[in-house]
Amino acid sequence: MLYGLNGYHTSPILGELRQKGFNMLRIGAEPAIIDHVISNGFSPLVIARDADEVNAAGTHLAGVDVEFANEPDGSVDKHFEPAEYAALIPSFVEACHAAGATPWIGAISNLHHKSLAWFADMIQTSNESYVLPGDVGITVHRYPAGRSWDVPHPGFANRDAEIDAIRGIVGVRRIGCSEVGYHTAPQIVSKYLPRWYTWHWTDEQTAEQMWHEWRFWEAQDAAFCVQYQIIDGQTNTREDRFGISTVHEDGSFKAWKPIADSLQA
């Protein structure tokens, strides 16, 4: 579960989250937050922007999974050119090993052809000068391509084919999905129609979609699958409606949504 967007939670809420079956929280590299997550019984998946952040966290990362950047092929955080990202992998991996952490690379924004092309270029460039150690895993993000969880991105016969594509690039390395989610905000029907032609998933429908998503990644033998995100924001827009819980006007926790129980349904 992605942790921190729209606020951090107190121990009682995290305890309920554990009871619902969640056991990993994806967070930034702040030592205090890493310790907080571990003390509440979760395994951290730490996002580090570079080797310096890994070195700064130091022993707090012992035994922890650490991911290099967030959607480096996109523009949400820092955009990297494939060669730029590849050049930084050795120092990132070295820093992880020094801290006793497990390194993960990739974190591409989706499993469509554009992101996969960026990733393939990056891996090829990296392999020209650096041999990835065996413990380096691969992370990907996956967001919907249609109105149902099983609709593949254009050019793929099915969801399995998307996974086959990433495995064709990295071989037998471990793969984890570090972001996936479904939101209830309005979505446009088509870019060719007026923007008031919209549709949306209901709370019950997002729960159903996520139920299938958990089981899909388990069938793919993924090391982990991280849902985006714990808590809704204040607006009925895309980024504020991925949560598994609602909020009061002051942003505090209000109630769990049906999707919060999708792991155990």
Side-chain angles (χ1 to χ4, degrees), residues 12-29:
I13 299 304
L14 292 182
E16 292 180 31
L17 198 65
R18 287 282 291 134
Q19 292 174 7
K20 292 180 180 298
F22 295 93
N23 54 30
M24 173 180 271
L25 295 179
R26 185 169 179 249
I27 57 175

Side-chain angles (χ1 to χ4, degrees), residues 24 26 43-51 54 61 63-72 85 88-97 100-108 118-119 122-123 130 132-141 166-167 170 172-179 217 220-226:
M24 173 180 271
R26 185 169 179 249
S43 298
L45 173 60
V46 172
I47 309 165
R49 289 174 292 186
D50 51 35
V54 178
L61 294 174
V64 169
D65 295 297
V66 182
E67 183 179 32
F68 178 24
N70 178 62
E71 299 190 355
Y85 186 94
L88 295 173
I89 289 175
S91 60
F92 167 75
V93 172
E94 181 181 355
C96 285
H97 287 166
T102 300
W104 295 80
I105 64 170
I108 54 175
W118 182 97
F119 184 76
M122 183 275 292
I123 288 292
Y130 180 66
L132 281 176
D135 68 328
V136 177
I138 305 300
T139 56
V140 300
H141 295 178
I166 195 76
R167 291 195 186 281
V170 301
V172 298
R173 289 188 182 278
R174 293 176 305 152
I175 292 176
C177 177
S178 57
E179 270 191 36
W217 287 101
Q220 296 295 336
D221 198 28
F224 47 76
C225 178
V226 180

